[in-house]
Amino acid sequence: QVQLVESGGGLAQAGGSLRLSCAASGRTFSSYSMGWFRRAPGKEREFVSRISWSGSSTYYADSVKGRFTISRDNAKSTVYLQMNSLKPEDTAVYYCVADRVVVTSTRADYWGQGTQVTVSS
């Protein structure tokens, strides 16, 4: 069982930056694939990014590629999402996820409660 707690959300201006953090409980954090999803108001849930257990492999949705960076610190059991060049369309609740095998674009084993990101124009 893994528990995920997100932090770092808030309000930013278009073109600005925010960094999300996700602290995970459990001794086997370093073996989990981690990732981020988001849900904007009135829209379907959307895959954002994932990172392999070692951090050597990352993957991004086209909508955030080149602007967002995912990383992890296994010693701290924490995964990060650095969001730069924010756009109003990035406004959403962002969810940290974990999977025992691999986070895919449609599913993950464990989900956090979410953190709100609001980007003003």
Side-chain angles (χ1 to χ4, degrees):
Q1 188 76 12
V2 175
Q3 291 186 327
L4 306 171
V5 179
E6 304 97 335
S7 61
L11 177 64
Q13 291 189 333
S17 299
L18 284 174
R19 187 175 82 154
L20 305 183
S21 299
C22 173
S25 66
R27 299 177 181 177
T28 58
F29 171 82
S30 60
S31 67
Y32 281 79
S33 169
M34 303 294 295
W36 294 89
F37 281 75
R38 67 186 181 185
R39 187 190 293 273
K43 294 189 176 181
E44 295 290 320
R45 185 179 67 196
E46 178 188 20
F47 168 81
V48 175
S49 180
R50 70 167 180 252
I51 186 167
S52 62
W53 66 270
S54 66
S56 62
S57 175
T58 59
Y59 184 79
Y60 299 92
D62 287 343
S63 57
V64 306
K65 197 174 297 181
R67 300 188 298 120
F68 290 10
T69 302
I70 191 171
S71 62
R72 66 190 295 163
D73 185 336
N74 287 342
K76 296 182 178 179
S77 297
T78 301
V79 64
Y80 305 97
L81 185 68
Q82 178 67 44
M83 305 185 295
N84 298 330
S85 301
L86 284 164
K87 303 175 181 180
E89 51 263 44
D90 294 319
T91 295
V93 177
Y94 283 72
Y95 298 91
C96 177
V97 299
D99 197 278
R100 289 164 290 184
V101 179
V102 61
V103 171
T104 72
S105 60
T106 58
R107 69 165 303 281
D109 289 332
Y110 303 102
W111 293 73
Q113 292 299 307
T115 186
Q116 177 70 47
V117 170
T118 302
V119 183
S120 63
S121 58

